[in-house]
Amino acid sequence: MRYHNPIIPGFHPDPSICRVGGDFYLVTSSFEYFPGVPIFHSRDLVHWQQIGHCLTRPSQLPLDGCRASGGIWAPTLRYNDAVFCMTTTNVTGGGHFFVTAADPAGEWSEPIWVEGAGFDASLFFDEGRAYFQWYVYPVGIHQTEIDLATGKHLTASRVLWNGSGGRSPEGPHLYKIGDFYYLLAAEGGTEDGHMVTIARSQTVWGPWESCPGNPILSHRSLDRPIQTTGHGDLVQAADGSWWMVFLGTRPVGYPRYHLLGRETFLAPVIWEDGWPVVGNRGTVDLEMDAALLDAHPWNTTESLRDEFDHPSLGFHWNWLRNPDPTRYSVSARPGWLRLLGAESTLNDPASPTFLGRRQRHLKSRVTTLMDFHPQSENEEAGLVVLGDNHHHYEIGITCQAANRVIFVRRKIGTLQAVVAQQPLPEGQILLRVDADEAWYTFRYAIDNKEWLELARGETRYLSSESGAAIFTGTYFGIYATGNGQPCQTPADFDWFEYEIMEGPE
Ligand code: 6LW
């Protein structure tokens, strides 16, 4: 049977998976975005639907002032004694913690904090004990036993393993399989040198025997459409088959760069001489043949068009850091989403009025209908392609000398410029971004009349390789701002549509 990789496209890095009966649950990193740690559900490892987020309250997820790609780094999801446990690290807001839930769709508990530097928190349960692992650069993978009720260390922490020789042996996950304890890790850094490695021991504390086949997964120095494969997690299906989820990227252009962030991929795993063999014996493809589980597609796919006529927004929508809920309303104008600009802008490590969804396809199009009539020159609203607060392109409306103007602005690091501007007659306006591998093209139309192209921007300069969105991926979003001053005029959005302009995911 054949399946497509990535199984969860778009910015969904550092996947961690667990199984309960016939159900699989998977979480990914979320960095400066809110809510945090999206959680997905599948019954066949191929079809996934998002069921919520683990971190939905500022008390769980303090992101105030969080730098781009700060916040929530890698999570680990485990199930123990009928309780789901998700541990992760808020690298700019408190460090390691875990939350628990009986229902993976939430609500999840308040955080229980665990002492320790570094990142890549993980949990392992064995014979009634809870073991906590994490990575400290450049020392290595640490472990301690913890009290699940308090998060307190019960033993002195020890360095477990320094990897098989690659730099940054991180992303630890521990398993008891047969007669051995297995320690899975990522080495080489999350760029082109990334790899998955593994070691085993007779005890949970080592000593660790490195797999002779390490790295068990890597695309380093290979010319393949999937790159940077690493940061894996193993899971056994109810039928006894083994699988690994892991992150990877799909770069374009030359020199290569990736836009959609690090995505979640799947590979079958077999065991030989007590060691796992991953995918096509250490590599994976976009199309994979495997003895798949019985297919269980979901009849609800992620919404591609939002009419904003429902009291809550879909799980695919994210804010930047901790949003001010008073600046977003779906009730002020029924059937419209009303945004009220904050003084902060998209350049600030703050929570500007922004609502975005991941770009999950290189060839895609987003369109929105906006009703916005700014009364002062500081007021602005529009459609943005966001890498991070240092890299974004937007088509926006403001007013100059009491006349509306429409513009495209590009921010690339310390460079920022309005690259095109036109006077704009009154009326509701359609805004559109067309994305292909090389360009974002910005267009608009007044009152459903002809589409006018205003400007283009190279996709390359919103990529991690250009210093944007180091650990995240591009978002398409709507925004409003007072540009450092209070905003009185709301921006109303009637609908937002995401169109896939390429073959199947
Ligand atoms: C993640 C770690 C990593 O915690 O990147 O480079 C961090 N490797 O495993 C963010 O994804």
Side-chain angles (χ1 to χ4, degrees), residues 182-234:
Y182 286 87
L183 175 57
L184 192 72
E187 296 182 36
T190 200
E191 302 81 15
D192 283 351
H194 216 188
M195 9 177 197
V196 177
T197 60
I198 195 164
R200 71 186 182 190
S201 170
Q202 301 282 357
T203 84
V204 75
W205 291 102
W208 301 93
E209 172 198 4
S210 182
C211 174
N214 277 333
I216 58 172
L217 172 69
S218 184
H219 284 194
R220 60 182 178 160
S221 79
L222 299 180
D223 186 15
R224 303 181 73 96
I226 305 171
Q227 287 293 318
T228 73
T229 51
H231 204 105
D233 200 4
L234 286 167

Side-chain angles (χ1 to χ4, degrees), residues 13-14 29 31 73-74 119-120 170-171 189-190 194 231 247 262 471:
D14 308 317
S29 301
F31 303 94
W73 286 25
F119 48 89
D120 288 2
E170 54 198 8
T190 200
H194 216 188
H231 204 105
L247 73 79
R262 296 164 301 156
F471 290 141

